[in-house]
Amino acid sequence: MANAYVQIGMAMFRTGILGYGGGPSIVPLIRYEAVTRFKWMKDEEFMEVLAIANTLPGPIATKLAGYLGYRLKGSLGAVLGVAAHILPTCVAMVGLYSFITFFSTSHVIKGMIAAVVPIVAVMLGVMAYEFGEKAVKGLGWTAGVIFFVLSFLLLQTFAVHPAIVIFLFLFYGAFHHKVKDKWGKSRKALGKGEGA
């Protein structure tokens, strides 16, 4: 098995180089490295880390890279994870800036960018579907659908900051099973009362 420092470096290097479109598009790549390729954590733990990272300020990808590095190899791992994730992109950005500026009106460059957008959309869609599936399994169909609709309304219609929405849902999640058990007991008691 490869050295953990090598794994962190290679994983975060790949996510930094291949993560076209910013933080949200990089999350599925980081998830693949952490959960599928290297099995550093289970999918449920990754979702928890992602939820917490979304409540904190700063770019999501660098927070995840830092956390994964720290989880595996402490402070040095965190520094390596962040550096491996951001430095190649920074170097590429500086090197390619003049190229992109010079060819910014090129139909070839515009076509290349347009061709990559559907791939990013599919990656995000697959991740969203898998997260939604796990949410429904954990909450149940009724609560899952209600929470999807409620989160959509809060984020899109009322423009509530995502960190506030995540905090509210985390707070409810801490008591979900107690609420569910209480609701189930009250429905059973009501059913017995009607049958009597």
Side-chain angles (χ1 to χ4, degrees), residues 103-125:
F103 290 107
S104 62
T105 58
S106 167
H107 293 295
V108 173
I109 299 295
K110 287 180 182 176
M112 290 169 65
I113 292 170
V116 171
V117 171
I119 297 167
V120 174
V122 169
M123 286 173 25
L124 289 170

Side-chain angles (χ1 to χ4, degrees), residues 156-178:
Q156 296 299 315
T157 305
F158 300 108
V160 176
H161 192 281
I164 295 170
V165 176
I166 290 168
F167 177 77
L168 290 172
F169 281 61
L170 282 173
F171 182 77
Y172 170 80
F175 302 101
H176 171 71
H177 289 293
K178 287 183 181 179

Side-chain angles (χ1 to χ4, degrees), residues 13-173:
F13 176 82
R14 277 191 293 265
T15 60
I17 289 294
L18 299 175
Y20 177 87
S25 67
I26 295 172
V27 171
L29 298 174
I30 293 176
R31 177 177 166 260
Y32 175 79
E33 297 289 342
V35 175
T36 306
R37 185 188 296 265
F38 292 114
K39 297 180 177 23
W40 293 330
M41 62 178 60
K42 300 280 188 200
D43 208 27
E44 293 77 15
E45 185 182 354
F46 183 82
M47 289 192 304
E48 291 169 6
V49 170
L50 178 62
I52 292 167
N54 269 315
T55 64
L56 301 171
I60 186 71
T62 52
K63 288 182 281 188
L64 290 173
Y67 171 78
L68 290 171
Y70 184 81
R71 186 176 193 272
L72 293 171
K73 284 294 181 182
S75 299
L76 187 57
V79 171
L80 174 62
V82 172
H85 181 73
I86 64 172
L87 286 179
T89 306
C90 291
V91 170
M93 186 70 186
V94 169
L96 295 175
Y97 178 73
S98 58
F99 174 82
I100 291 171
T101 303
F102 183 75
F103 290 107
S104 62
T105 58
S106 167
H107 293 295
V108 173
I109 299 295
K110 287 180 182 176
M112 290 169 65
I113 292 170
V116 171
V117 171
I119 297 167
V120 174
V122 169
M123 286 173 25
L124 289 170
V126 168
M127 188 179 78
Y129 174 79
E130 290 174 356
F131 279 15
E133 195 175 39
K134 285 184 177 22
V136 167
K137 282 182 184 175
L139 295 169
W141 274 101
T142 306
V145 170
I146 290 170
F147 274 42
F148 286 130
V149 171
L150 184 59
S151 62
F152 180 83
L153 290 173
L154 289 172
L155 293 169
Q156 296 299 315
T157 305
F158 300 108
V160 176
H161 192 281
I164 295 170
V165 176
I166 290 168
F167 177 77
L168 290 172
F169 281 61
L170 282 173
F171 182 77
Y172 170 80

